[in-house]
Amino acid sequence: ADYLQDSESANLYIGSLAAEWTEEFIMREFGKYGDVTSIKIMYPRTEMQRVRGMNCGFIQFRTRRQAETAKARLNGKDYFGMALRIDWGKAVSAAPQRMDA
Protein backbone atom coordinates (compact mmCIF):
# COMPACT_ATOMS: atom_id res chain seq x y z
CA ALA A 1 0.00 0.00 0.00
CA ASP A 2 1.10 3.57 -0.59
CA TYR A 3 1.47 5.47 2.65
CA LEU A 4 0.25 9.05 2.88
CA GLN A 5 0.97 11.52 5.63
CA ASP A 6 -1.13 10.75 8.71
CA SER A 7 -2.64 14.24 8.51
CA GLU A 8 -4.32 13.05 5.31
CA SER A 9 -5.46 9.76 6.79
CA ALA A 10 -9.09 8.79 6.33
CA ASN A 11 -8.41 5.57 8.27
CA LEU A 12 -9.78 5.32 11.82
CA TYR A 13 -8.63 2.92 14.53
CA ILE A 14 -11.53 1.79 16.72
CA GLY A 15 -10.64 0.46 20.14
CA SER A 16 -12.88 -1.02 22.82
CA LEU A 17 -15.17 -2.78 20.35
CA ALA A 18 -17.52 -5.04 22.28
CA ALA A 19 -17.81 -8.61 20.98
CA GLU A 20 -21.30 -7.77 19.62
CA TRP A 21 -19.89 -5.51 16.89
CA THR A 22 -20.02 -6.92 13.36
CA GLU A 23 -18.82 -5.43 10.07
CA GLU A 24 -22.47 -4.83 9.17
CA PHE A 25 -23.10 -2.93 12.41
CA ILE A 26 -19.94 -0.85 11.92
CA MET A 27 -21.11 -0.04 8.39
CA ARG A 28 -24.53 1.00 9.69
CA GLU A 29 -23.22 3.23 12.50
CA PHE A 30 -20.18 4.76 10.78
CA GLY A 31 -21.72 4.86 7.31
CA LYS A 32 -24.04 7.66 8.49
CA TYR A 33 -21.04 9.98 8.28
CA GLY A 34 -19.62 9.18 4.86
CA ASP A 35 -18.58 6.62 2.27
CA VAL A 36 -16.91 3.67 3.96
CA THR A 37 -14.28 2.06 1.72
CA SER A 38 -13.08 -0.71 4.05
CA ILE A 39 -13.77 -2.29 7.43
CA LYS A 40 -11.55 -4.71 9.32
CA ILE A 41 -12.30 -6.17 12.75
CA MET A 42 -9.26 -7.55 14.56
CA TYR A 43 -10.41 -10.51 16.63
CA PRO A 44 -8.65 -11.62 19.85
CA ARG A 45 -5.43 -13.56 19.35
CA THR A 46 -4.70 -14.35 22.99
CA GLU A 47 -6.71 -15.89 25.80
CA MET A 48 -6.44 -12.65 27.79
CA GLN A 49 -7.92 -10.61 24.91
CA ARG A 50 -10.68 -13.20 24.57
CA VAL A 51 -11.48 -13.10 28.29
CA ARG A 52 -11.69 -9.28 28.22
CA GLY A 53 -14.19 -9.59 25.39
CA MET A 54 -12.76 -6.63 23.50
CA ASN A 55 -11.92 -6.34 19.84
CA CYS A 56 -10.52 -3.48 17.86
CA GLY A 57 -10.83 -2.55 14.24
CA PHE A 58 -10.13 -0.19 11.40
CA ILE A 59 -12.53 1.68 9.18
CA GLN A 60 -11.56 3.74 6.17
CA PHE A 61 -13.61 6.53 4.67
CA ARG A 62 -13.35 7.99 1.19
CA THR A 63 -12.27 11.40 2.56
CA ARG A 64 -10.52 12.79 5.62
CA ARG A 65 -13.47 15.12 6.32
CA GLN A 66 -15.89 12.15 6.51
CA ALA A 67 -13.53 10.35 8.89
CA GLU A 68 -13.17 13.48 11.05
CA THR A 69 -16.96 13.77 11.32
CA ALA A 70 -17.38 10.11 12.30
CA LYS A 71 -14.57 10.40 14.87
CA ALA A 72 -16.09 13.55 16.38
CA ARG A 73 -19.57 12.06 16.61
CA LEU A 74 -18.72 8.52 17.77
CA ASN A 75 -15.56 8.78 19.89
CA GLY A 76 -16.54 7.96 23.48
CA LYS A 77 -20.06 6.92 22.50
CA ASP A 78 -21.35 3.98 24.52
CA TYR A 79 -22.27 0.75 22.72
CA PHE A 80 -22.97 -2.53 24.50
CA GLY A 81 -21.71 -1.03 27.78
CA MET A 82 -18.33 0.03 26.37
CA ALA A 83 -17.27 3.50 25.22
CA LEU A 84 -15.68 3.53 21.76
CA ARG A 85 -12.11 4.77 21.61
CA ILE A 86 -11.39 6.19 18.16
CA ASP A 87 -8.02 7.38 16.93
CA TRP A 88 -6.29 7.86 13.59
CA GLY A 89 -4.99 4.75 11.89
CA LYS A 90 -2.01 4.73 9.57
CA ALA A 91 -2.85 6.42 6.31
CA VAL A 92 -3.11 4.10 3.32
CA SER A 93 -4.27 4.92 -0.15
CA ALA A 94 -7.81 3.75 -0.77
CA ALA A 95 -7.99 0.43 -2.52
CA PRO A 96 -9.93 0.56 -5.79
CA GLN A 97 -12.58 -1.78 -4.47
CA ARG A 98 -16.08 -1.12 -3.29
CA MET A 99 -17.92 -2.63 -0.37
CA ASP A 100 -20.95 -4.59 -1.41
CA ALA A 101 -23.64 -4.76 1.24
Side-chain angles (χ1 to χ4, degrees):
D2 296 326
Y3 289 97
L4 307 167
Q5 288 190 345
D6 279 353
S7 63
E8 299 173 36
S9 178
N11 194 28
L12 296 176
Y13 164 82
I14 311 165
S16 304
L17 276 182
E20 291 88 347
W21 281 90
T22 62
E23 290 188 2
E24 293 76 20
F25 190 67
I26 290 174
M27 177 62 102
R28 195 170 77 214
E29 292 302 301
F30 283 78
K32 297 172 185 172
Y33 305 106
D35 299 322
V36 173
T37 58
S38 74
I39 294 171
K40 174 84 175 144
I41 295 176
M42 312 299 285
Y43 292 100
R45 286 192 292 264
T46 68
E47 187 57 33
M48 194 152 125
Q49 289 172 330
R50 233 184 323 280
V51 167
R52 288 193 356 228
M54 264 173 36
N55 299 323
C56 65
F58 293 91
I59 180 164
Q60 183 161 330
F61 285 88
R62 191 161 313 286
T63 69
R64 169 76 178 203
R65 178 162 293 181
Q66 292 170 353
E68 285 173 348
T69 301
K71 182 178 186 293
R73 298 281 173 82
L74 296 176
N75 192 28
K77 188 168 178 183
D78 191 88
Y79 287 94
F80 308 108
M82 295 171 70
L84 287 184
R85 195 166 49 81
I86 302 175
D87 220 322
W88 293 106
K90 191 169 280 294
V92 293
S93 61
Q97 64 187 28
R98 39 183 292 271
M99 298 272 308
D100 289 314

